[in-house]
Amino acid sequence: MKVDLNPFIESLRAPTGAPGGGAASAVSASLGCALYQMVAGVTLSLPRFTEGRDRLAEILDESTRLCDEFQTLSAKDTEAYLAVEAAMKMPRGTSEEKAARRSAMQEAFRGATVIPLEIVDTVVSALSLLPDLLKYGNPNAITDIAVGTLLLEAARKGASMNAEINLGSIKDQEFVKESGDKLSAAAATAESLLPALREAAKAAGVTF
């Protein structure tokens, strides 16, 4: 399922728990990928850019796929949070009900962590397109590339925070550690891809 932006905004600003920051993070990433699509497409439409056209076509296809995937992840994040809310509302009048509620909450918190982790992982996949987009893309589109990257980074950081807050409620310490390691590795990979953009932006006279 994809996000229809106008209804999504209406839902986002409603006084409810979902959609929330995780879903918004995925939408931010979708917008970032859309800008990568635009830059690749604009460059390919100009015959004077002869170098790296095959790679630009690959970037266009991959950013298109990722843009759609992030919209699906936004909907999944909302569903995951609603599962947490449903588990929290389960009855707890007897010891059996309490045990069932605790089990359901653990499962729901795990699900609400897995989706942000998937968003983070998918953001890293999108950011991996950055070096070649900088290399072959129209240099006049540097600010579009930069804004797309900022939106992707906002998505990674937002989804990371949502994963971290849920990890605090999960008792499976192996899962907690593995998830924390994934977040740390994603942050390091993302940061390693940004210096080239900073240099390109600086050369163009803009601050990234």
Side-chain angles (χ1 to χ4, degrees):
M1 186 175 96
K2 292 185 181 180
V3 172
D4 187 345
L5 201 53
N6 285 332
F8 175 76
I9 291 172
E10 290 300 318
S11 297
L12 190 64
R13 64 187 178 190
T16 58
S25 294
V27 170
S28 173
S30 182
L31 294 174
C33 284
L35 282 169
Y36 278 17
Q37 285 178 255
M38 183 266 279
V39 174
V42 165
T43 307
L44 286 168
S45 74
L46 299 172
R48 71 176 184 274
F49 292 103
T50 59
E51 188 179 3
R53 294 184 71 84
D54 288 346
R55 179 56 180 149
L56 282 169
E58 291 174 353
I59 291 171
L60 179 59
D61 288 344
E62 182 65 1
S63 57
T64 300
R65 183 188 70 80
L66 291 170
C67 184
D68 291 343
E69 185 171 345
F70 281 122
Q71 293 177 64
T72 299
L73 285 169
S74 179
K76 286 184 176 180
D77 186 85
T78 298
E79 292 167 4
Y81 183 81
L82 290 174
V84 172
E85 285 191 334
M88 293 178 72
K89 293 175 182 176
M90 289 176 65
R92 44 183 167 172
T94 67
S95 58
E96 290 81 6
E97 287 177 341
K98 289 177 181 178
R101 180 177 179 271
R102 284 194 298 268
S103 178
M105 286 183 65
Q106 284 299 299
E107 183 178 353
F109 276 122
R110 191 183 185 104
T113 303
V114 168
I115 299 303
L117 286 172
E118 190 172 348
I119 294 170
V120 169
D121 185 58
T122 309
V123 166
V124 173
S125 295
L127 288 173
S128 71
L129 304 174
L130 178 59
D132 285 343
L133 189 60
L134 285 170
K135 183 176 181 180
Y136 300 121
N138 185 344
N140 293 327
I142 184 62
T143 54
D144 299 301
I145 297 174
V147 171
T149 302
L150 286 171
L151 288 166
L152 285 164
E153 268 292 271
R156 182 187 64 79
K157 292 178 179 179
S160 293
M161 288 190 290
N162 275 272
E164 289 166 348
I165 198 71
N166 289 323
L167 286 172
S169 299
I170 294 175
K171 299 185 184 301
D172 182 345
Q173 290 306 302
E174 183 178 352
F175 176 78
V176 171
K177 183 180 184 307
E178 288 176 357
S179 299
D181 290 345
K182 287 178 182 178
L183 292 173
S184 296
T189 301
E191 185 57 38
S192 73
L193 294 167
L194 299 181
L197 177 55
R198 293 191 181 102
E199 288 300 315
K202 182 178 179 181
V206 298
T207 303
F208 175 78

